Amino acid sequence: MGLYRVAVVGGAGYAGEELVRILSRHPGVALTQLTSRMHRGERVREVISGLPGAAENLVFEEPDPSRLCEADVIFLALPHGAAAEYVVPLREAGKIVVDLSADFRLRNPRHYEADYGWEHPAPALLSKAVYALPELHRAEIRHGDLLAAPGCYPTSILLGLSPALGADWLREEEIVANSLSGTSGAGRRPEVPLLFSEMCENARPYGIPRHRHMAEMEQELDRLAGRKIDLVFIPHLIPLARGILSTIVCPLRTEIGLEEMHAHYVSFYRNDAFVRVLRLGELPAVRDVVRTNRADIGLQWDGTHRRLLVFCAIDNLGKGAAGQAVQAMNLRLGLPEEEGLLR
Amino acid sequence: MGLYRVAVVGGAGYAGEELVRILSRHPGVALTQLTSRMHRGERVREVISGLPGAAENLVFEEPDPSRLCEADVIFLALPHGAAAEYVVPLREAGKIVVDLSADFRLRNPRHYEADYGWEHPAPALLSKAVYALPELHRAEIRHGDLLAAPGCYPTSILLGLSPALGADWLREEEIVANSLSGTSGAGRRPEVPLLFSEMCENARPYGIPRHRHMAEMEQELDRLAGRKIDLVFIPHLIPLARGILSTIVCPLRTEIGLEEMHAHYVSFYRNDAFVRVLRLGELPAVRDVVRTNRADIGLQWDGTHRRLLVFCAIDNLGKGAAGQAVQAMNLRLGLPEEEGLLR
Amino acid sequence: MGLYRVAVVGGAGYAGEELVRILSRHPGVALTQLTSRMHRGERVREVISGLPGAAENLVFEEPDPSRLCEADVIFLALPHGAAAEYVVPLREAGKIVVDLSADFRLRNPRHYEADYGWEHPAPALLSKAVYALPELHRAEIRHGDLLAAPGCYPTSILLGLSPALGADWLREEEIVANSLSGTSGAGRRPEVPLLFSEMCENARPYGIPRHRHMAEMEQELDRLAGRKIDLVFIPHLIPLARGILSTIVCPLRTEIGLEEMHAHYVSFYRNDAFVRVLRLGELPAVRDVVRTNRADIGLQWDGTHRRLLVFCAIDNLGKGAAGQAVQAMNLRLGLPEEEGLLR
Amino acid sequence: MGLYRVAVVGGAGYAGEELVRILSRHPGVALTQLTSRMHRGERVREVISGLPGAAENLVFEEPDPSRLCEADVIFLALPHGAAAEYVVPLREAGKIVVDLSADFRLRNPRHYEADYGWEHPAPALLSKAVYALPELHRAEIRHGDLLAAPGCYPTSILLGLSPALGADWLREEEIVANSLSGTSGAGRRPEVPLLFSEMCENARPYGIPRHRHMAEMEQELDRLAGRKIDLVFIPHLIPLARGILSTIVCPLRTEIGLEEMHAHYVSFYRNDAFVRVLRLGELPAVRDVVRTNRADIGLQWDGTHRRLLVFCAIDNLGKGAAGQAVQAMNLRLGLPEEEGLLR
């Protein structure tokens, strides 16, 4: 039996490149097609580095849904709003689609319209999509055909909060999450504020008071908790190319010792290869997770104020995008979940 | 009449260097003495760049309290714990001392011992020291002879919160402050975690759950508010050499519009040359304040959760250390407060 | 008697900003006018940080030659090709013009056309322009009314080579200069290769085999040496915002000891406040000259190959642009050459 | 038949970490032992990130030559001078040793003593060692039992020059090589000049006039050319964690067109998976080779001065250290040369 055939649409953005890197080393699949309007006709080795020998002769093609149907799984790494054009025909053809954009993450098309500013292009498909955060929705992903890979900020915050929400420790009060992101999260967009000359020696909040990822986080937090969760979310851009660090302050309902909370986190993620709950006293660092599919979670306890402090570091292009999308594909195809991924 | 004579003790650390840069351009004072054990005998121009011509022939001396008494004002830029050795004789000699360490910031010597781990070396002087944050304690500074320059984190947080605390808007609930700092805040210490190879492409929280600056912040916040203020404070190290950005989430007691709050902040700082309250919709960036004595404050309003978001950016070596110390000196000497400082 | 009145045209590019910072602190001039099409109507304090209090209320205006004539000296910080539009009327009005672009650096309009791709817009003025590198052309600058501030690469290389060329030590063989530049040298242009995400963790040569600054360097080297000098020049972009480091390998004609060469360099620059010839054994670092008007020159000797190695570090926006332009203005106005500048 | 068993001694330095990352993903070998005095007893997953699941439970051991003999191949990633202690017993036991230090690169022990300052600890073994640059010495490596992995600077310069030297194009005149290196090349040493606060916004030459890698480069260049080659070599430290860019200026003997030279380079490396000769008009960038085992070579031609300009970019920890060592192991073990490596 041959390997599964996979295609990547939009392979020349930061997340698309990373998908190509991961998939080309993946022993369980064959990367057979790659599209990019900008690089059409160029060989992938001229555009993307860090590939094993075998994948390098692939050539970027003009994206074409009918040609994409030759693959078993199609990854879409396109700007928000552009996925539906491919999702509709590919789903009609029975293909498995993993979409890295925000287009199929929200169940309610009105939330999508509110955050993105245009009508959802394929609202009928929203109820079919699976929010593909493997640690939280493994069973659904195994049976999903339209997998919506979560956003980078939501991944770091949902992984950090899930054990606490599941244990129902939190007071009915706001959680405060501050996230620090590298510049690749903004994509390969030629804009003055993203220049090296501007971001070097800089750090700044942005997207306040309502970042586009809010609806996604609220939807998923409410689902996890079974009630409305209040989140104050403040993203910042810092002088990193890659990486996200989220610092989450959680007001606790009851008196629980830090050791007990830590044991619960360890237990919660005991079967998750890509979440590392750090030892008590250790805190995560972006450097340790960049270029991996791992989330590092550290816990601390502010006893004076009965707050649990959760720190979660991921690579925005790894666990926050391409790595997580491949992890979801592994689940869907029945491959070992860790295959082709680093931690 | 001649210029005031000033001396800098510890002129080869990051804050000391910055003091030398500022004082050597200052039209109202003459920098006449400079000490550094490590650079004793070297000319300042061999060690510190960015000086005007006149100051460059100064030579680093071995620190000697009796020789320091030739100056009118002595700045101490020494490691925590080392200032008392100079403060005692200099104060006995009637000199004005501006100390940049933490040694004279706390009124309660037990708080000092708790945070720094050793007994305070000169507790009798604590009650004489003035916490020299000019925007908040201008009158005291004008009459103080032992001026304790505030820490960098406290400066960013106290400036961000003072107008809100003064107006008594806040609920009796925790304030959450996340601060991002450049590596110069850790001093010129040869430690592996501070290497370029380690901090490049990195960001990490540290000093949790109780950073050494906590007692200082609590003391001053309580004083400002007239009651006990609860603060959750989380410092992070990011890949900057200089700069601090503090993001503060404040739970509000009453319904106040953002415009009204903004107007209050503008009014509160209307006579403060070194605090810039940004226009509504703008947020501060470290890049805009680095190498200045300015604090940039931005406000946002999370209406869903009735939280005021305050963002404050400063240069940790400027408004957070050397610049602020010079601003305090200006006040004490009756010079124009802005003299020799940039914004 | 009042201060000289100066104006800056194009005050919102990187070099323009730096001009505004320097001129606004300069005790001998009053910065009275500032233009920027993009920021027209905005106050300078909203756009540029690091200013003293007095200058901050200046408002960016639409550039208008007749209004500019109210100033005594006009600095032009415009893209290459745009200066002539202002130079012609301002010179007709008898004003002193300091141009930071390449437009008036070359004597031969055909060289200009070859390197920039368009006909020179005001060739008649070329013979009137002075190549305003103060250390080499002080007398001419004192009497020049159209001062062409040198490019950043040429400044570092001409300062590094002048003493050796003057002493006629060099073989008639190629000099090899490698220069490393920060990204601000490329201006505030929104282009993908200049993004933080692209330049972080990067270094690359560019502009090979013939960078636009070649004709300027050749013209001036030949003038200094009194013969044709061959230069291989290789510029590189590295992950700095500011700064240039040039490493120059010079084949020597005769046997001269390093001490003798060093003594000659020291003597050559003994009256130049802004050139620091480092002690033997020391090599320059960009960090030491950034935000100053200084050039640091280090010498080494490769005895095996009879090569003098010259290293020259400057700030591309300081000594390589705005600082040097102000230094030239000081000379022209009869002010102390160092006034308003740091080293 | 089982996989080859490999061990890494000194697995916690920058090169050792990279070896562990590469070997743990390598399909043809099993990483069975790992030593580090500092991390003895810790699991590798607590120290090194970016590993696949299988390798993570390995525990750092105290280095012990007899225990190391259980492996088939032993990699030594130790400070210069420390390898002999292991090489002697391991070679006596018939093991294949790949040494990443400089200890077995030079044939002449007096050259070693001159550059490193101490007597060579095992001179008898020098004649048995193979200089393990696969592109140039593939046959020897296949039969070598003591493989000395080349230094990072020499790798970039030898790969850049070999085709030209082989074709005998060069005049008997000095080659000038300028190299730019990231800070990881200096190792994980806690020294002030390597701090983030010092190297951020910095670039500086160092190791002039005679860097420790000179003897290695001279030995190999002479061997390639069959005559004495003169090289002026100037290393620089720039604000990168990883990567080297070498810019080499070669005086040509004869008139050869750039196209012809380029065709020769392409042909020379046509069977080398890890050398990419860029298309004419393209120049290498460090970013494209970081975290790969690839060398990117670009060519330009300075016709005015009859100089070939060769640019070569590698990752100092990849092709310049760990990747190249694994490539040599692949050859020695008869595995596919590319196995486990990226490009």
Side-chain angles (χ1 to χ4, degrees):
Chain A
M1 190 211 74
L3 298 172
Y4 290 103
R5 297 164 61 89
V6 300
V8 172
V9 179
Y14 291 129
E17 272 185 16
E18 197 65 12
L19 269 174
V20 172
R21 283 194 193 98
I22 295 171
L23 292 169
S24 64
R25 302 175 202 171
H26 193 296
V29 303
L31 177 59
T32 53
Q33 200 187 351
L34 194 54
T35 83
S36 160
R37 290 220 161 86
M38 188 196 287
H39 292 290
R40 188 173 39 138
E42 291 183 69
R43 285 200 301 168
V44 64
R45 68 176 304 174
E46 306 299 335
V47 177
I48 304 177
S49 63
L51 303 180
E56 285 186 325
N57 291 319
L58 219 56
V59 171
F60 283 103
E61 304 177 15
E62 180 78 20
D64 168 2
S66 66
R67 168 98 172 80
L68 287 166
C69 285
E70 295 171 18
D72 301 303
V73 182
I74 298 92
F75 288 87
L76 304 176
L78 295 165
H80 303 310
E85 178 189 348
Y86 299 91
V87 171
V88 173
L90 291 170
R91 283 302 307 124
E92 278 171 7
K95 298 297 166 182
I96 300 169
V97 178
V98 186
D99 179 29
L100 278 76
S101 82
D103 291 0
F104 293 91
R105 294 179 195 153
L106 299 179
R107 309 217 157 173
N108 187 331
R110 269 182 295 184
H111 291 171
Y112 181 87
E113 191 172 343
D115 275 3
Y116 290 88
W118 54 79
E119 213 175 316
H120 195 281
L125 283 171
L126 288 178
S127 64
K128 312 261 169 79
V130 171
Y131 189 75
L133 189 51
E135 287 73 14
L136 304 181
H137 306 299
R138 204 166 263 123
E140 278 182 83
I141 294 169
R142 287 204 172 96
H143 301 93
D145 289 324
L146 172 49
L147 303 175
C152 48
Y153 288 125
T155 295
S156 69
I157 287 169
L158 294 169
L159 290 176
L161 284 175
S162 290
L165 288 174
D168 198 21
W169 296 334
L170 304 195
R171 282 208 292 278
E172 303 236 344
E173 197 177 298
E174 294 80 10
I175 294 165
V176 175
N178 277 263
S179 294
L180 314 183
S181 173
T183 57
S184 64
R188 200 169 247 149
R189 286 185 286 127
E191 298 180 357
V192 165
L194 299 173
L195 290 178
F196 186 89
S197 302
E198 302 289 322
M199 274 309 300
C200 170
E201 207 169 54
N202 203 358
R204 56 185 173 83
Y206 75 102
I208 311 289
R210 195 172 167 83
H211 187 274
R212 280 182 165 188
H213 281 173
M214 277 304 288
E216 179 183 343
M217 287 190 275
E218 289 168 343
Q219 167 184 293
E220 296 301 314
L221 288 172
D222 293 359
R223 183 149 71 124
L224 285 167
R227 61 173 170 96
K228 180 93 196 71
I229 293 293
D230 280 308
L231 176 74
V232 176
F233 170 64
I234 309 176
H236 303 73
L237 212 56
I238 65 170
L240 293 175
R242 298 170 71 143
I244 282 185
L245 176 68
S246 289
T247 292
I248 315 171
V249 179
C250 309
L252 293 195
R253 208 159 50 70
T254 52
E255 278 297 341
I256 310 147
L258 179 57
E259 283 75 12
E260 186 183 339
M261 291 190 283
H262 183 259
H264 174 66
Y265 267 73
V266 169
S267 166
F268 189 94
Y269 286 122
R270 69 187 173 283
N271 297 320
D272 289 301
F274 294 112
V275 179
R276 180 169 71 149
V277 179
L278 300 176
R279 286 178 290 210
L280 278 178
E282 292 184 351
L283 297 173
V286 165
R287 189 174 177 75
D288 291 337
V289 297
V290 166
R291 281 165 244 276
T292 77
N293 192 48
R294 202 173 74 202
D296 273 7
I297 294 177
L299 300 180
Q300 259 295 2
W301 165 236
D302 181 332
T304 319
H305 309 109
R306 263 181 37 213
R307 305 270 167 159
L308 172 64
L309 310 181
V310 183
F311 303 91
C312 181
I314 61 169
D315 181 346
N316 61 311
L317 299 180
K319 183 64 179 165
Q324 182 149 268
V326 171
Q327 187 185 354
M329 176 203 76
N330 284 344
L331 286 170
R332 176 60 184 78
L333 296 179
L335 298 171
E337 186 173 341
E338 299 180 41
E339 200 160 278
L341 296 167
L342 300 173
R343 62 186 189 181
Chain B
M1 191 210 73
L3 297 171
Y4 290 102
R5 297 165 62 90
V6 301
V8 173
V9 179
Y14 291 129
E17 270 185 17
E18 197 66 12
L19 269 175
V20 172
R21 283 195 193 96
I22 296 172
L23 291 168
S24 64
R25 302 175 202 170
H26 193 297
V29 302
L31 176 60
T32 53
Q33 200 188 351
L34 195 53
T35 82
S36 159
R37 291 221 161 84
M38 188 197 288
H39 293 289
R40 190 173 37 139
E42 291 183 69
R43 284 200 303 167
V44 64
R45 68 176 304 173
E46 306 299 335
V47 177
I48 305 178
S49 63
L51 304 181
E56 286 186 323
N57 292 318
L58 220 55
V59 171
F60 283 104
E61 305 177 16
E62 180 78 20
D64 169 2
S66 67
R67 167 98 173 81
L68 288 166
C69 284
E70 295 171 17
D72 301 303
V73 181
I74 298 93
F75 288 86
L76 303 176
L78 294 164
H80 302 310
E85 177 189 349
Y86 300 90
V87 172
V88 173
L90 291 170
R91 283 300 308 124
E92 279 170 6
K95 298 299 167 181
I96 300 169
V97 178
V98 186
D99 179 29
L100 278 77
S101 82
D103 291 1
F104 294 91
R105 294 179 194 152
L106 299 178
R107 310 216 158 174
N108 187 333
R110 270 182 293 185
H111 291 170
Y112 181 87
E113 190 172 343
D115 275 4
Y116 292 87
W118 55 77
E119 212 176 315
H120 195 282
L125 282 171
L126 289 177
S127 64
K128 311 260 170 78
V130 171
Y131 189 74
L133 188 51
E135 287 73 14
L136 305 180
H137 305 299
R138 203 166 265 125
E140 277 183 83
I141 294 168
R142 286 204 172 98
H143 300 93
D145 289 324
L146 172 48
L147 303 175
C152 49
Y153 288 125
T155 295
S156 69
I157 286 169
L158 294 169
L159 289 176
L161 283 175
S162 290
L165 289 174
D168 199 21
W169 295 335
L170 303 195
R171 282 208 293 278
E172 302 237 345
E173 196 177 299
E174 293 79 11
I175 294 165
V176 175
N178 276 263
S179 293
L180 314 182
S181 173
T183 55
S184 64
R188 200 168 247 149
R189 287 186 286 128
E191 299 180 357
V192 166
L194 298 174
L195 290 179
F196 187 90
S197 302
E198 303 289 323
M199 273 310 300
C200 171
E201 207 170 55
N202 203 357
R204 56 183 174 84
Y206 75 102
I208 311 288
R210 193 170 170 84
H211 187 274
R212 282 182 163 187
H213 281 172
M214 277 304 287
E216 179 183 342
M217 287 190 274
E218 288 168 344
Q219 167 183 292
E220 296 301 314
L221 289 171
D222 293 0
R223 182 149 71 125
L224 284 168
R227 60 172 171 99
K228 179 93 196 70
I229 293 294
D230 281 309
L231 176 74
V232 177
F233 170 64
I234 309 175
H236 303 73
L237 213 55
I238 65 170
L240 293 175
R242 297 171 70 142
I244 282 185
L245 176 68
S246 290
T247 291
I248 315 170
V249 179
C250 310
L252 292 195
R253 208 160 50 71
T254 51
E255 278 297 343
I256 309 148
L258 179 58
E259 282 76 11
E260 188 184 337
M261 289 191 284
H262 182 259
H264 174 66
Y265 266 73
V266 169
S267 166
F268 189 94
Y269 286 121
R270 69 186 173 283
N271 296 319
D272 289 301
F274 295 112
V275 179
R276 181 168 71 150
V277 178
L278 301 176
R279 287 178 288 210
L280 279 177
E282 293 184 350
L283 298 172
V286 165
R287 189 175 176 73
D288 291 337
V289 296
V290 165
R291 281 166 244 274
T292 77
N293 193 48
R294 203 174 71 202
D296 273 6
I297 295 176
L299 301 179
Q300 259 295 1
W301 166 238
D302 181 332
T304 319
H305 309 108
R306 264 183 35 214
R307 304 270 167 160
L308 172 64
L309 310 181
V310 183
F311 303 91
C312 182
I314 62 169
D315 181 346
N316 61 311
L317 299 180
K319 183 65 180 164
Q324 182 148 268
V326 171
Q327 187 184 353
M329 176 202 74
N330 285 344
L331 287 169
R332 175 60 184 80
L333 295 179
L335 299 171
E337 185 173 343
E338 300 180 40
E339 201 161 277
L341 296 167
L342 301 173
R343 60 185 191 182
Chain C
M1 191 212 74
L3 298 171
Y4 290 102
R5 297 165 63 90
V6 301
V8 173
V9 179
Y14 291 129
E17 270 185 17
E18 196 67 10
L19 269 175
V20 172
R21 281 194 194 99
I22 295 172
L23 292 168
S24 65
R25 304 174 200 171
H26 194 297
V29 302
L31 176 60
T32 53
Q33 200 187 351
L34 195 53
T35 82
S36 159
R37 290 221 161 84
M38 187 197 286
H39 292 290
R40 189 173 37 138
E42 292 182 71
R43 285 201 302 166
V44 64
R45 68 177 304 175
E46 306 300 335
V47 177
I48 305 178
S49 62
L51 304 180
E56 285 186 324
N57 292 317
L58 220 54
V59 171
F60 283 103
E61 303 176 17
E62 180 77 21
D64 168 2
S66 65
R67 168 99 172 80
L68 288 166
C69 284
E70 295 171 17
D72 302 303
V73 182
I74 298 93
F75 289 86
L76 304 176
L78 294 164
H80 302 311
E85 177 189 348
Y86 299 90
V87 171
V88 173
L90 291 170
R91 283 301 307 124
E92 279 170 6
K95 298 299 165 182
I96 301 168
V97 178
V98 186
D99 180 28
L100 279 77
S101 82
D103 291 0
F104 293 92
R105 294 179 194 154
L106 299 178
R107 308 215 158 174
N108 187 332
R110 270 181 294 185
H111 291 170
Y112 180 89
E113 191 172 342
D115 275 3
Y116 291 87
W118 54 80
E119 211 176 317
H120 194 282
L125 282 172
L126 289 178
S127 64
K128 312 262 170 78
V130 171
Y131 188 74
L133 188 52
E135 285 75 13
L136 305 181
H137 306 298
R138 203 166 265 123
E140 278 182 82
I141 294 168
R142 285 204 173 97
H143 300 93
D145 289 324
L146 172 48
L147 303 175
C152 48
Y153 288 124
T155 296
S156 69
I157 286 170
L158 294 169
L159 289 177
L161 284 175
S162 290
L165 288 174
D168 198 21
W169 295 335
L170 303 196
R171 282 208 292 279
E172 301 236 345
E173 197 177 299
E174 293 80 10
I175 295 164
V176 176
N178 276 263
S179 294
L180 314 181
S181 172
T183 56
S184 64
R188 200 169 247 150
R189 288 186 284 127
E191 298 180 358
V192 165
L194 298 174
L195 290 178
F196 187 90
S197 303
E198 302 289 322
M199 274 310 301
C200 171
E201 206 170 55
N202 203 358
R204 56 184 174 84
Y206 75 102
I208 312 288
R210 194 171 168 82
H211 187 275
R212 281 182 163 187
H213 281 172
M214 277 304 288
E216 180 184 342
M217 287 190 275
E218 289 167 344
Q219 167 183 293
E220 296 300 313
L221 288 172
D222 294 359
R223 182 149 72 124
L224 284 168
R227 61 174 171 97
K228 179 93 196 72
I229 293 294
D230 280 309
L231 176 75
V232 177
F233 170 65
I234 309 175
H236 303 73
L237 212 56
I238 64 170
L240 294 175
R242 297 171 71 144
I244 282 185
L245 175 69
S246 289
T247 291
I248 315 171
V249 180
C250 309
L252 292 195
R253 207 159 49 71
T254 52
E255 278 297 341
I256 310 149
L258 179 57
E259 282 76 10
E260 188 184 338
M261 290 191 283
H262 183 259
H264 174 66
Y265 266 73
V266 169
S267 166
F268 189 94
Y269 286 121
R270 68 188 175 282
N271 297 318
D272 290 301
F274 295 112
V275 179
R276 181 169 71 148
V277 179
L278 301 176
R279 286 179 288 209
L280 279 177
E282 292 185 349
L283 297 173
V286 165
R287 189 175 177 73
D288 291 337
V289 296
V290 166
R291 281 166 245 274
T292 77
N293 192 49
R294 203 174 71 202
D296 272 6
I297 295 177
L299 301 180
Q300 259 296 1
W301 166 237
D302 181 332
T304 319
H305 310 108
R306 263 182 37 213
R307 304 270 167 159
L308 172 64
L309 310 181
V310 183
F311 303 92
C312 182
I314 62 169
D315 181 346
N316 61 311
L317 299 180
K319 183 66 181 163
Q324 182 148 268
V326 172
Q327 186 184 353
M329 175 203 75
N330 285 345
L331 286 170
R332 175 60 184 80
L333 295 180
L335 299 172
E337 186 173 341
E338 299 180 40
E339 201 161 277
L341 296 167
L342 301 173
R343 59 185 192 183
Chain D
M1 191 211 72
L3 298 171
Y4 290 102
R5 297 163 63 89
V6 301
V8 173
V9 179
Y14 291 129
E17 270 185 16
E18 197 66 12
L19 269 174
V20 172
R21 283 194 192 98
I22 295 172
L23 292 168
S24 64
R25 304 175 201 171
H26 193 296
V29 302
L31 177 60
T32 53
Q33 200 187 350
L34 195 53
T35 82
S36 159
R37 291 220 162 85
M38 188 196 288
H39 292 290
R40 189 172 38 137
E42 291 183 71
R43 285 201 302 167
V44 64
R45 69 175 303 175
E46 305 300 334
V47 177
I48 305 178
S49 62
L51 303 180
E56 286 186 325
N57 292 318
L58 218 56
V59 171
F60 283 103
E61 304 176 16
E62 180 78 21
D64 169 2
S66 65
R67 167 97 172 83
L68 287 166
C69 284
E70 295 171 17
D72 301 303
V73 182
I74 297 93
F75 289 86
L76 304 176
L78 294 165
H80 302 310
E85 178 189 348
Y86 299 91
V87 171
V88 174
L90 291 169
R91 282 302 306 126
E92 278 169 6
K95 297 299 167 181
I96 300 168
V97 178
V98 187
D99 179 28
L100 279 76
S101 82
D103 291 0
F104 293 92
R105 293 179 196 154
L106 299 179
R107 309 216 157 175
N108 187 331
R110 270 182 294 185
H111 291 171
Y112 181 87
E113 191 172 343
D115 275 3
Y116 291 88
W118 54 79
E119 214 176 315
H120 195 281
L125 283 171
L126 288 178
S127 64
K128 312 262 170 77
V130 171
Y131 189 75
L133 188 52
E135 286 74 13
L136 305 181
H137 305 298
R138 203 166 265 122
E140 279 182 82
I141 295 168
R142 285 205 173 96
H143 301 93
D145 289 324
L146 172 48
L147 303 175
C152 48
Y153 288 124
T155 295
S156 68
I157 286 170
L158 294 169
L159 290 177
L161 283 175
S162 290
L165 289 174
D168 199 21
W169 295 335
L170 302 196
R171 283 208 292 279
E172 302 237 345
E173 196 178 299
E174 294 80 10
I175 294 165
V176 176
N178 277 262
S179 293
L180 314 182
S181 172
T183 56
S184 64
R188 200 170 247 150
R189 287 186 285 128
E191 299 180 356
V192 165
L194 298 173
L195 290 178
F196 187 90
S197 302
E198 302 289 322
M199 273 310 300
C200 169
E201 207 170 54
N202 204 357
R204 55 183 174 85
Y206 75 102
I208 311 289
R210 193 170 170 85
H211 187 273
R212 281 182 164 189
H213 281 173
M214 277 304 289
E216 179 183 344
M217 288 190 274
E218 288 168 344
Q219 167 183 292
E220 296 302 313
L221 288 172
D222 294 358
R223 183 149 72 125
L224 284 167
R227 61 172 170 98
K228 178 94 197 69
I229 292 293
D230 279 308
L231 176 74
V232 177
F233 169 63
I234 309 174
H236 303 73
L237 212 56
I238 64 169
L240 293 175
R242 298 170 70 143
I244 282 185
L245 176 69
S246 289
T247 291
I248 314 171
V249 179
C250 309
L252 292 195
R253 209 159 48 72
T254 52
E255 277 298 342
I256 310 147
L258 180 58
E259 283 75 13
E260 187 184 338
M261 290 190 284
H262 182 259
H264 173 67
Y265 266 74
V266 168
S267 166
F268 189 96
Y269 287 122
R270 69 187 174 284
N271 296 320
D272 289 301
F274 294 113
V275 179
R276 180 169 71 148
V277 179
L278 300 176
R279 287 179 289 210
L280 279 178
E282 291 184 350
L283 297 172
V286 164
R287 189 174 176 75
D288 291 337
V289 297
V290 166
R291 281 165 243 275
T292 78
N293 192 49
R294 202 173 73 201
D296 273 6
I297 295 176
L299 301 180
Q300 258 296 0
W301 166 237
D302 181 331
T304 318
H305 309 109
R306 264 182 36 213
R307 304 270 166 160
L308 172 64
L309 311 181
V310 183
F311 303 91
C312 181
I314 62 169
D315 182 347
N316 61 311
L317 299 180
K319 182 65 180 165
Q324 183 148 268
V326 171
Q327 187 184 352
M329 176 203 76
N330 285 344
L331 286 170
R332 174 61 185 79
L333 296 179
L335 299 171
E337 186 172 341
E338 299 180 42
E339 201 160 277
L341 296 167
L342 301 173
R343 61 186 190 181

